[in-house]
Each structure stands twice: as C-alpha cells, then as structure tokens.
Amino acid sequence: TEFMLDRRGAGVLTRKLLGALPARVSRLGANLEGRLGTGVSLKEVIRFRVASIRRLFELSDRLVTVSEWMREVLILNGVENEKVACIKKGLSDDWKEFRNKLVDKNGSGTFKLGYTGRINRLKGIHVLVDGIKNLGPDDRVQLHIYGRVNDRESALYHEFLKRRAEGYGNIHFHGEINTDNRVDVYNNLDMIAVPSVWFDNLPYVVS
C-alpha cells in the first residue's frame, strides 16, 4: 500500500498512516469521494486485486510469461512450477539485416544518449531528462527521445516532459521509430538508456 501511495506522490506521513489502516476502515473509503476516498480505500483495493489474481491463477490450466524472471516471480508467489511456461518475445525476420547496417561511430565531440520506446511515466523518461538538466545546457551531451504516444495519459506525460525540458536545447523530442528510420536513428546515437522506474518484464529495446 505504501509503495502504491508513493507512486501517487503521497508524503511519508500520509503513506504510513494510510498503510496502517485496518481493513474494516479501508473498506469505508468506497463511501468517500475524491483523493481521500482513493487513499483510504487503496489497501482494500490492493487486497481485492491480489485475491482476484490468485483466483485467476487457480482457474488457469497454464500460464505463459515472456521472460524467465517473470516465471520465477510467479513460482515464488505460489504458482505451481509445472503450470508456468516461458515463451520469449520474437524479433522480426529482418533483424539480422538491420543489425548489419549499424556502424561504429567515430568520435564527433558530442555524446548522444537515446531513449526509444513508449512514452509512459513508468518508463522513467523524466529521470533521463532530469539527469541531462543536472549537467546543464551543454550541447556536447544530448538526449534524444524517440517514442510512441498511445493514449491520453501518454500525451499528457509527453507534454509534461516537454515542459520539464524547456530551456535545454540539448534535449530533443522526435517521433516514433519505424522500419524506415530505425537504422539512421540508432546509427546517430552513442548509447541507449532504459530508465524504467517499474519492473520491466522484458524490455523490447533490449531484446
């Protein structure tokens, strides 16, 4: 409960108080409106969600994960070993051709750090933005953000990032990577960052 409240920006004292609420009090949160109701009822919501997930596991004949890490997590949480299978993500047929087109960069005097992936708060792009800002508006270190905006939440986060980067000409926002531009994008970058602030089951960028 405290972890979920921390993700929502609650202070330490608020997290401690709400996290210590008895279950019978937490259930009363459903009758309250606004953020107070959300905070009070969160413990009960989490309990219900965990129970629902465990019930889903019990009803399933087979569970499939895309990483060995997730498979181990499920087993540690009581799922039978024989019930879980790992089928890893596949790559497109042209990945070898794409890899062969990548080249080693010669020193240009500019270090270009890149983020490629979904525009989502859990991906931790703001961590990269803040890190570059701490270095100052030095064009010798650049951050290039390539990402896909999927929904309203992503769009709001995208605008949040742009406002956060205002005044820093070494932070650049680009569109989504596709099969037409990906070779040029990766050849233009010195390093790719995966700054997720949540457990990333299997980052496709790394794959």
Short mmCIF file of all heavy atoms in Angstrom, two decimals, residues 65-75 85-88 201-202:
data_model
loop_
_atom_site.label_atom_id
_atom_site.label_comp_id
_atom_site.label_asym_id
_atom_site.label_seq_id
_atom_site.Cartn_x
_atom_site.Cartn_y
_atom_site.Cartn_z
N THR A 65 4.57 -16.75 -19.66
CA THR A 65 5.31 -15.50 -19.43
C THR A 65 6.24 -15.25 -20.63
O THR A 65 6.49 -16.16 -21.41
CB THR A 65 6.15 -15.56 -18.15
OG1 THR A 65 7.23 -16.48 -18.33
CG2 THR A 65 5.31 -16.01 -16.96
N VAL A 66 6.74 -14.02 -20.74
CA VAL A 66 7.66 -13.71 -21.83
C VAL A 66 9.10 -13.59 -21.33
O VAL A 66 10.00 -13.24 -22.10
CB VAL A 66 7.25 -12.40 -22.55
CG1 VAL A 66 5.91 -12.57 -23.22
CG2 VAL A 66 7.25 -11.23 -21.58
N SER A 67 9.33 -13.90 -20.04
CA SER A 67 10.69 -13.86 -19.51
C SER A 67 10.83 -14.87 -18.38
O SER A 67 9.86 -15.19 -17.68
CB SER A 67 11.04 -12.45 -19.00
OG SER A 67 10.30 -12.14 -17.84
N GLU A 68 12.04 -15.37 -18.20
CA GLU A 68 12.31 -16.31 -17.11
C GLU A 68 12.14 -15.62 -15.76
O GLU A 68 11.74 -16.24 -14.78
CB GLU A 68 13.74 -16.87 -17.24
CG GLU A 68 13.92 -17.86 -18.37
CD GLU A 68 13.17 -19.17 -18.13
OE1 GLU A 68 12.78 -19.42 -16.98
OE2 GLU A 68 12.98 -19.92 -19.11
N TRP A 69 12.46 -14.32 -15.74
CA TRP A 69 12.31 -13.57 -14.49
C TRP A 69 10.87 -13.60 -14.01
O TRP A 69 10.59 -13.86 -12.83
CB TRP A 69 12.78 -12.13 -14.71
CG TRP A 69 12.56 -11.24 -13.52
CD1 TRP A 69 13.36 -11.12 -12.42
CD2 TRP A 69 11.44 -10.38 -13.29
NE1 TRP A 69 12.82 -10.23 -11.53
CE2 TRP A 69 11.64 -9.76 -12.03
CE3 TRP A 69 10.29 -10.07 -14.02
CZ2 TRP A 69 10.74 -8.85 -11.49
CZ3 TRP A 69 9.40 -9.16 -13.48
CH2 TRP A 69 9.61 -8.56 -12.24
N MET A 70 9.92 -13.34 -14.91
CA MET A 70 8.52 -13.34 -14.53
C MET A 70 8.06 -14.74 -14.13
O MET A 70 7.24 -14.91 -13.22
CB MET A 70 7.66 -12.80 -15.67
CG MET A 70 6.16 -12.77 -15.37
SD MET A 70 5.74 -11.89 -13.84
CE MET A 70 6.17 -10.21 -14.27
N ARG A 71 8.57 -15.74 -14.80
CA ARG A 71 8.24 -17.12 -14.45
C ARG A 71 8.65 -17.41 -13.01
O ARG A 71 7.90 -18.00 -12.23
CB ARG A 71 8.92 -18.08 -15.42
CG ARG A 71 8.60 -19.56 -15.17
CD ARG A 71 9.27 -20.46 -16.21
NE ARG A 71 8.88 -21.83 -16.00
CZ ARG A 71 9.49 -22.65 -15.12
NH1 ARG A 71 10.51 -22.20 -14.42
NH2 ARG A 71 9.08 -23.89 -14.97
N GLU A 72 9.87 -16.99 -12.64
CA GLU A 72 10.36 -17.20 -11.29
C GLU A 72 9.53 -16.44 -10.26
O GLU A 72 9.27 -16.95 -9.16
CB GLU A 72 11.83 -16.77 -11.20
CG GLU A 72 12.77 -17.65 -12.02
CD GLU A 72 14.18 -17.10 -12.05
OE1 GLU A 72 14.44 -16.09 -11.35
OE2 GLU A 72 15.02 -17.66 -12.77
N VAL A 73 9.09 -15.23 -10.62
CA VAL A 73 8.27 -14.44 -9.70
C VAL A 73 6.94 -15.14 -9.43
O VAL A 73 6.48 -15.21 -8.28
CB VAL A 73 8.00 -13.03 -10.30
CG1 VAL A 73 6.90 -12.31 -9.51
CG2 VAL A 73 9.28 -12.20 -10.27
N LEU A 74 6.31 -15.69 -10.47
CA LEU A 74 5.05 -16.39 -10.30
C LEU A 74 5.22 -17.61 -9.40
O LEU A 74 4.39 -17.88 -8.51
CB LEU A 74 4.48 -16.81 -11.65
CG LEU A 74 4.00 -15.68 -12.57
CD1 LEU A 74 3.53 -16.24 -13.90
CD2 LEU A 74 2.88 -14.88 -11.91
N ILE A 75 6.30 -18.35 -9.61
CA ILE A 75 6.55 -19.54 -8.80
C ILE A 75 6.80 -19.16 -7.34
O ILE A 75 6.29 -19.80 -6.41
CB ILE A 75 7.74 -20.34 -9.37
CG1 ILE A 75 7.36 -20.91 -10.74
CG2 ILE A 75 8.16 -21.46 -8.42
CD1 ILE A 75 8.52 -21.52 -11.50
N ALA A 85 4.86 -21.65 -18.21
CA ALA A 85 5.76 -21.81 -19.36
C ALA A 85 6.27 -20.45 -19.80
O ALA A 85 5.56 -19.45 -19.71
CB ALA A 85 5.02 -22.48 -20.52
N CYS A 86 7.52 -20.40 -20.24
CA CYS A 86 8.12 -19.15 -20.72
C CYS A 86 8.29 -19.21 -22.23
O CYS A 86 8.95 -20.11 -22.75
CB CYS A 86 9.47 -18.91 -20.05
SG CYS A 86 10.34 -17.46 -20.68
N ILE A 87 7.65 -18.29 -22.93
CA ILE A 87 7.82 -18.16 -24.37
C ILE A 87 8.30 -16.74 -24.62
O ILE A 87 7.54 -15.78 -24.49
CB ILE A 87 6.50 -18.43 -25.13
CG1 ILE A 87 5.99 -19.84 -24.80
CG2 ILE A 87 6.71 -18.25 -26.63
CD1 ILE A 87 4.66 -20.17 -25.46
N LYS A 88 9.56 -16.59 -24.96
CA LYS A 88 10.16 -15.27 -25.08
C LYS A 88 9.68 -14.54 -26.33
O LYS A 88 9.25 -15.16 -27.30
CB LYS A 88 11.68 -15.38 -25.08
CG LYS A 88 12.23 -15.91 -23.76
CD LYS A 88 13.74 -15.95 -23.76
CE LYS A 88 14.26 -16.43 -22.41
NZ LYS A 88 15.74 -16.48 -22.39
N ASN A 201 9.24 -6.30 -17.49
CA ASN A 201 9.23 -7.74 -17.68
C ASN A 201 10.29 -8.19 -18.68
O ASN A 201 11.08 -9.08 -18.41
CB ASN A 201 7.84 -8.17 -18.16
CG ASN A 201 7.63 -9.66 -18.07
OD1 ASN A 201 8.41 -10.35 -17.45
ND2 ASN A 201 6.58 -10.15 -18.69
N LEU A 202 10.34 -7.57 -19.83
CA LEU A 202 11.36 -7.86 -20.84
C LEU A 202 11.39 -6.70 -21.82
O LEU A 202 10.65 -6.70 -22.80
CB LEU A 202 11.07 -9.18 -21.56
CG LEU A 202 12.13 -9.62 -22.57
CD1 LEU A 202 13.43 -9.94 -21.86
CD2 LEU A 202 11.66 -10.84 -23.36
#
